[in-house]
Structure formats: C-alpha cells, structure tokens
C-alpha cells in the first residue's frame, strides 16, 4: 500500500507504532490521565498498528482498529 502525505503529497515511509498501552489519541491538548474517555481513540490495543511517516512535514498517518 502506498500512502501519500496529506500535506505535501509525497510518498510516506511505512512502519509500525510501538509503545506501552494505552497509547491514546485525544482531542484535548493537555489530557491529565491515560484512562480512555468517550472522545478518545485507543491506538495500541494489543497489536502494532501500521503507521506512515513524512520526514519532510513531520507528520504520521496511523491505521488503527
């Protein structure tokens, strides 16, 4: 699968995210806890999600379940 950067349009490098669970995405800038809230998305849940990086724009695209 080829993924292009949503900002510059260049091809992104494929890879995977690693870390200790939970790794959350949250709309809040300063989340005080890693307990998953209603609006949060769990990115690591016992598997390594595919992730693509753009070294030019410093952006990451993640395919989560």
């Amino acid at each position: 699968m080829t993924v292009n950067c949503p900002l510059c349009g260049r091809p992104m490098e494929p890879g995977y995210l690693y870390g200790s669970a939970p790794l959350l995405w949250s709309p809040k800038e300063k989340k005080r806890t890693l307990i998953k809230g209603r609006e949060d998305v769990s990115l690591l849940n016992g598997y390594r999600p595919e992730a693509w990086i753009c070294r030019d724009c410093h952006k990451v695209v993640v395919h989560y379940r």
Side-chain angles (χ1 to χ4, degrees), residues 22 24 26 30-37 40:
L24 298 177
S26 178
K30 293 184 179 181
K31 186 167 174 65
R32 296 188 184 275
T33 178
L34 288 179
I35 296 173
K36 184 179 174 193
D40 299 334

Side-chain angles (χ1 to χ4, degrees), residues 7-18:
L7 293 178
C8 69
R10 294 183 183 126
M12 299 180 82
E13 293 180 48
Y16 298 88
L17 281 185
Y18 292 89

Side-chain angles (χ1 to χ4, degrees), residues 44-57:
L44 288 178
N45 194 13
Y47 76 102
R48 293 180 185 97
E50 293 178 276
W52 294 263
I53 63 166
C54 179
R55 292 185 189 266
D56 295 317
C57 297

